[in-house]
Amino acid sequence: MKRVKAALRICGWVVLIVLVLPAIVLRVADEFSWAGLPALPAPPTETFSDRGASVRLHLHVHTDLSHDAVGTRDEIARAARRSGVDGVWIADHLPRVPDRSTFARPEDDPWAGGSRLPDDYAPPGPPEWNDGVLLVEGREFTVASDVGRVLLFGADSTFARWDGGLEPLLDLIRRRPRSFAMVTHGRGARERDFWHAGKLEEIHGWEALTLSDSGRRRLEELRAIWRLPTAVVSLVTGRFHHALAGTLTEGPRDPGVLAFDSLAAEGSLALIGTGNAHPKTRILGRLVPSYSASFRAISTHVALDGPLPSDPARARDAVHEALREGRSWISILDGQGARDFRFQVEGEGGSEEMGVTEEMGGVVTWAPGLTLHAGFTGSNSDRRIFRVVKDGVPILEGRGGGVSLTVEAPGVYRIEVDRFGARVGNLFVGRRFWIASSAIRVGAAEDETGEGR
């Protein structure tokens, strides 16, 4: 008996030394960073154009119609409402059918390439309000074997897969001017899903950050051994959204974000962040992992021309129009606090009557006096760090409630924002990547054609 107790004691010490203590050290180390950053004066809130409203969305969620998920539309709506989310775009893929040969490709298929779902499988339904949340249904599918994966909403998306090549799909999207198509897993954890077709006018959004891909990358790292105990504790304590957000260790240097900077130079493109929520099972009646954890960990915000219409079809169309124009930004945790973020460039004079004002997704011709502004129309906390990114490279970083910068050359400009809890000199406590914006393209005068938007 004494030997058993001694062995258990040794095992306890091994677990403490090998797993628990490194996990604590890593957690504490994550809380501190050192940087010498100048103070930035925030632009006055009246600087920003009076955009009608912004909505907080999740654009890649799965239900039990997907072969690898559980969960229902009602559960999505409840979780979204409790998380402060305005709308969820559901993108289920291949349904649970035992024999893929049941998929038919009719000879008279006008799109020449879609492998359709069985007749007894319902196509995406119309948008609806459910528990105060806008639900929009589309599909996720692979485009051939050498192109990539897309999410398609507001078009004929009764396809399980698309084998006919890229051009027939683009023709389908062109025939549905109110649709929205985005690349998913374009630079994800699995190379088989990579997007190989470049920037296309018919592709409106780019999934730059997704929790499922970042989670897969983290599991491949050695330190996953020490991060797992923290994740398990957060799952039990209801803080699993923090563990999910913690997988985004690459932050703005994530391969998906870097690829976006290259693609955005070729045309307007919405920057998208998703959870790709796939609840896998139920434990005591609860979804694991829950929709709420994903909704709280990451959000995509979209700037609209006015309040979200009460008619669900018009509400979907308003969101799709804004996304097609690239008026979006991503937030990690604190999605509510990121709602009033703004980013624009303006010409000398500071108003549309006296100059030019362009927001995210816009194109403007470079001229002397062009100024970039980023900040918030609500709270003006100084516990924020702003980065101005030009052509994928940070050119200015500083702390404060916002940033104003004279645009000295053409390029593709974005804004990134970090938050921190406290600062002692150059020591920052609790610094976290928070917001990444879509781009504004500043073109040379001789190149201004208006094409590619």
Side-chain angles (χ1 to χ4, degrees), residues 27-252:
R27 184 70 182 87
V28 172
D30 285 344
E31 290 297 316
F32 297 93
S33 62
W34 185 272
L37 300 176
L40 300 175
T45 56
E46 59 267 20
T47 300
F48 300 106
S49 59
D50 186 19
R51 172 62 64 186
S54 70
V55 289
R56 180 183 170 196
L57 307 174
H58 281 261
L59 298 172
H60 190 173
V61 178
H62 293 265
T63 72
D64 54 8
L65 291 180
S66 293
H67 71 279
D68 56 354
V70 299
T72 66
R73 296 167 67 96
D74 289 343
E75 288 173 314
I76 287 173
R78 284 196 299 271
R81 179 180 57 79
R82 293 169 181 169
S83 303
V85 171
D86 302 307
V88 177
W89 270 233
I90 300 170
D92 284 311
H93 42 59
L94 191 67
R96 300 169 190 245
V97 292
D99 182 6
R100 290 193 180 192
S101 66
T102 58
F103 292 111
R105 192 186 310 158
E107 294 297 328
D108 60 349
D109 183 352
W111 310 117
S115 298
R116 290 190 176 277
L117 300 176
D119 292 337
D120 59 355
Y121 183 71
E128 66 172 4
W129 292 103
N130 186 324
D131 204 6
V133 176
L134 179 64
L135 298 184
V136 176
E137 190 174 357
R139 286 293 178 264
E140 175 183 359
F141 51 84
T142 298
V143 184
S145 60
D146 58 349
V147 178
R149 295 183 69 81
V150 300
L151 308 185
L152 180 59
F153 303 93
D156 180 1
S157 48
T158 59
F159 303 103
R161 55 189 182 272
W162 189 273
D163 303 315
L166 184 60
E167 187 54 39
L169 176 64
L170 300 181
D171 186 42
L172 184 153
I173 297 171
R174 283 191 291 266
R175 292 168 182 257
R176 301 293 189 273
R178 295 182 179 178
S179 64
F180 172 68
M182 60 178 274
V183 172
T184 181
H185 307 301
R187 291 296 180 271
R190 297 179 295 196
E191 190 171 345
R192 70 178 191 231
D193 295 331
F194 275 23
W195 183 254
H196 299 285
K199 172 67 180 82
L200 301 168
E201 184 179 355
E202 296 82 3
I203 299 298
H204 315 114
W206 177 266
E207 189 181 63
L209 294 175
T210 180
L211 297 178
S212 60
D213 285 329
S214 62
R216 286 190 181 99
R217 290 196 190 101
R218 300 295 82 78
L219 288 174
E220 294 173 356
E221 297 173 349
L222 178 61
R223 64 169 55 190
I225 299 172
W226 300 300
R227 290 192 182 276
L228 283 175
T230 304
V232 171
V233 171
S234 67
L235 187 64
V236 174
T237 58
R239 292 175 59 84
F240 192 59
H241 54 294
H242 285 272
L244 289 176
T247 65
L248 297 168
T249 56
E250 295 162 303

